[in-house]
Amino acid sequence: MTSIHPLAPETAAGLPSSPDASVGLAEDVLGGKAHGLRTLAGLGLPVPPGFVITTAACRAFLRDGRFPDGLEAEMTAAVHDLETAARERFGASNRPLSVSVRSGAAVSMPGMMDTILDVDPADGLRAAVEAVFRSWRAPRAVSYREVHGIPHDLGTAVIVQAMVFGDRDERSGSGVAFSRDPSTGVRAPFGDVLFERRGDAVVSGQSATRPLSDLAAREPAIWTPLVDGLDRAERHYRDACHVEFTFESGKLWFLQVRPGGLSGRAAVRVAVDLVGEGLIDRATALARVTPRHLRAARTPRIRDVAEVIARGVGASPGVASGRIAVTADQAVRMAADGPVILVRPHTSPLDMHGLAAAAGIVTTVGGPTSHAAVVARSMGKPAVVATAALTVDPGGGRVHCGGRSFPAGTVISIDGTGGEVVPGTAEITTGDTDPHLDRLLGWAQELP
Amino acid sequence: MTDLLVLHTLRCMGFTDLDRVADAAGLSAPEAESRLIDLAVAGLVTRTPGAFGGWGLTEAGKAEDARLIAEQRETAGATAAVTGAYERFMVLNPELLDLCSAWHMRTVDGVTTVNDHVDAGYDARVLDRFTDLDRRAGPVCADLEAALPRFGRYRGRLTAALAQASSGRLEFLADTTTSYHAVWFQLHEDLLVTLGIPR
């Protein structure tokens, strides 16, 4: 049984890459993440050398409590190949090889299983692979599968890849890039970048990221191939895509790709635009936009997000406008005179009265499962979390963002779907007058 | 002498109304109010009037509560036991938050929307996982109660919330101030205060 496959076979062998490299080994064997990486490598995009251990090996390990026969030897050979490839890719051999060991199931289960970084292949690799295999059965992952109706017998693939370091020097960094704005569907690269930091810092939501467009000015040698890569991925998948990337000492690496994933009006717009660009036909566009997308397209949104103060993560849908309050007590006092947006670093039970009084909630740290997010949803109020660019200064009664400062009482609006925080009272759209939606619905009537 | 039962109950609830403090402390409302007024006279709690008003601690009240709770923990020799229980609680905590999110939001066909509670099967699966998590939280609560008896009230309050949800009142999972999530969060806050860990 072959339990291990290289991530970039053609490239490693010095042969021309083919976009069909991953055909024949489906996502249920390799997991979605590895399948995507092989696709990127096949498109000629730079992916750190590595290999993937199949879901079948994971299932065997979980069944028997030990590595399947032959896996150890396959792994030794794969590590040898990886070391050779890494020497070719990274040049100097004075760099000790360190690998990341990541989970990647056929069905996306974000954040539920283990990722282990900085593993020494000579020493800690086997234990790391076993830990990732076992994390398939972590209680949290079991709960996630139960709730989402995912079978328990799939297992996860394990991706072992040479580490690349976004924190190596001033020409390094990490980011997430979308081929189209995930909030609106507009065709323009969009995302976040953190200079001189690793990818986990971007995903955690704890650090203030920069808009992706900053790359264009600061690192054009990264920006150009990144945009080209997004374009190639789009044409391959015939859909909007997003990637995770790291650049190390001026060299770009793709670490993950996912097609689709947009919802509501963004999904409608992308489907209609892709027809216009000749990538899909009308029937495909109609099949992609489900009734759930159409319902989501009617969620109130801020009409114009050209001027944003900051972007966080939408955690409870809807739009709210009101005056900034920076403490719960202040929110209660101000709420007597009209709607208030409570802006806090994070919230706890100590802020319950402020959450109850506010029309909308913004936090600077904490993710979509934070206290603020859970409470806001239970109260049906819009919330934006992980707005890392904002700093709350309760003593000074202000919110800072970059060089700007907004005193308590300043009117802002928040969009709990797209995560936008904008100045003033924003105009709201409910999707009833969306030209893309009109076109799509028109096609639906024309088709037999 | 400072009434630590009411002071600390209110500390972990944050800011709330009289009935809820009384309920959480296991006191009648008049008894709880009488004790709150004594604490207010001592400058440890304060009552905010108005539509979103209620009882909360002053800064002096928070400092006094932290001091007394640390003293209680040390006197009982409970530091190691509470620390161990806290570590096990923190393994369960992300899963509880996942379940609260799954209760409120649902992703189908790649679209994440507010759970409209039309799919009874989905809601039942979420409730099942709350029940399973609660079973695993049982030993943690028991160890806490053995170390410091005041923690025993959480077990009863969590059980009561889950029983309400299981009998069909599903808002008791994560939508009310006496929900499973609300009690769980107060237990989290209590562990942080007891161990002197800043949030």
Side-chain angles (χ1 to χ4, degrees), chain B residues 137-195:
Chain B
V140 180
C141 291
D143 287 357
L144 281 169
E145 184 174 2
L148 282 172
R150 67 181 167 78
F151 276 104
R153 281 192 302 280
Y154 288 104
R155 179 71 273 177
R157 293 170 65 205
L158 289 169
T159 303
L162 196 60
Q164 289 276 8
S166 300
S167 71
R169 301 182 66 190
L170 290 168
E171 69 272 21
F172 275 86
L173 290 181
D175 295 332
T176 72
T177 51
T178 51
S179 69
Y180 198 91
H181 170 254
V183 178
W184 180 277
F185 209 95
Q186 287 158 29
L187 170 56
H188 188 182
E189 193 75 13
D190 201 342
L191 287 166
L192 294 174
V193 173
T194 303
L195 293 171

Side-chain angles (χ1 to χ4, degrees), chain A residues 324-336 340-343 353-354 357 394 397-398 407-409:
Chain A
I324 293 173
V326 293
T327 67
D329 289 344
Q330 188 178 49
V332 169
R333 282 197 303 276
M334 288 170 56
V340 168
I341 306 291
L342 178 63
V343 185
H353 53 313
R398 325 177 67 81

Side-chain angles (χ1 to χ4, degrees), chain A residues 52-237:
Chain A
V52 53
I53 308 174
T54 62
T55 56
C58 174
R59 289 194 294 272
F61 175 81
L62 293 175
R63 185 187 62 228
D64 304 334
R66 60 178 180 82
F67 270 17
D69 292 340
L71 178 57
E72 186 89 50
E74 277 191 64
M75 228 162 74
T76 305
V79 166
H80 177 77
D81 291 348
L82 172 53
E83 283 168 341
T84 307
R87 264 197 305 275
E88 284 170 13
R89 293 295 193 92
F90 299 122
S93 59
N94 58 2
R95 169 183 170 139
L97 181 65
S98 167
V99 295
S100 65
V101 182
R102 299 191 286 166
S103 61
V107 181
S108 175
M109 295 171 52
M112 293 295 137
M113 289 179 289
D114 285 1
T115 285
I116 304 169
L117 301 177
D118 297 315
V119 176
D120 172 1
D123 202 38
L125 183 56
R126 183 179 173 132
V129 170
E130 289 188 3
V132 175
F133 278 162
R134 276 195 204 95
S135 72
W136 175 258
R137 286 197 179 149
R140 193 177 172 207
V142 171
S143 262
Y144 186 90
R145 291 196 296 273
E146 282 285 322
V147 165
H148 294 92
I150 301 167
H152 290 301
D153 59 1
L154 301 177
T156 181
V158 179
I159 297 153
V160 179
Q161 253 181 317
M163 290 280 298
V164 285
F165 298 92
D167 55 354
R168 181 167 294 278
D169 55 30
E170 74 281 359
R171 296 208 54 209
S172 304
S174 303
V176 176
F178 294 79
S179 61
R180 305 188 186 222
D181 186 329
S183 183
T184 61
V186 170
R187 187 185 185 188
F190 181 90
D192 301 305
V193 61
L194 264 178
F195 293 97
E196 297 173 55
R197 298 290 294 280
R198 290 201 199 178
D200 42 354
V202 180
V203 181
S204 73
Q206 303 281 334
S207 302
T209 55
R210 300 294 310 161
L212 186 68
S213 51
D214 279 18
L215 259 184
R218 179 164 160 174
E219 285 293 345
I222 301 299
W223 171 259
T224 305
L226 177 64
V227 172
D228 171 63
L230 286 169
D231 192 49
R232 279 197 243 177
E234 270 209 345
R235 280 186 275 123
H236 173 80
Y237 287 107

Side-chain angles (χ1 to χ4, degrees), chain A residues 47 89 111 121 153 170 186 216 220 318 323 350 430 435 443:
Chain A
V47 170
R89 293 295 193 92
D153 59 1
E170 74 281 359
V186 170
R323 289 158 303 139
L350 298 170
T430 54
W443 297 341

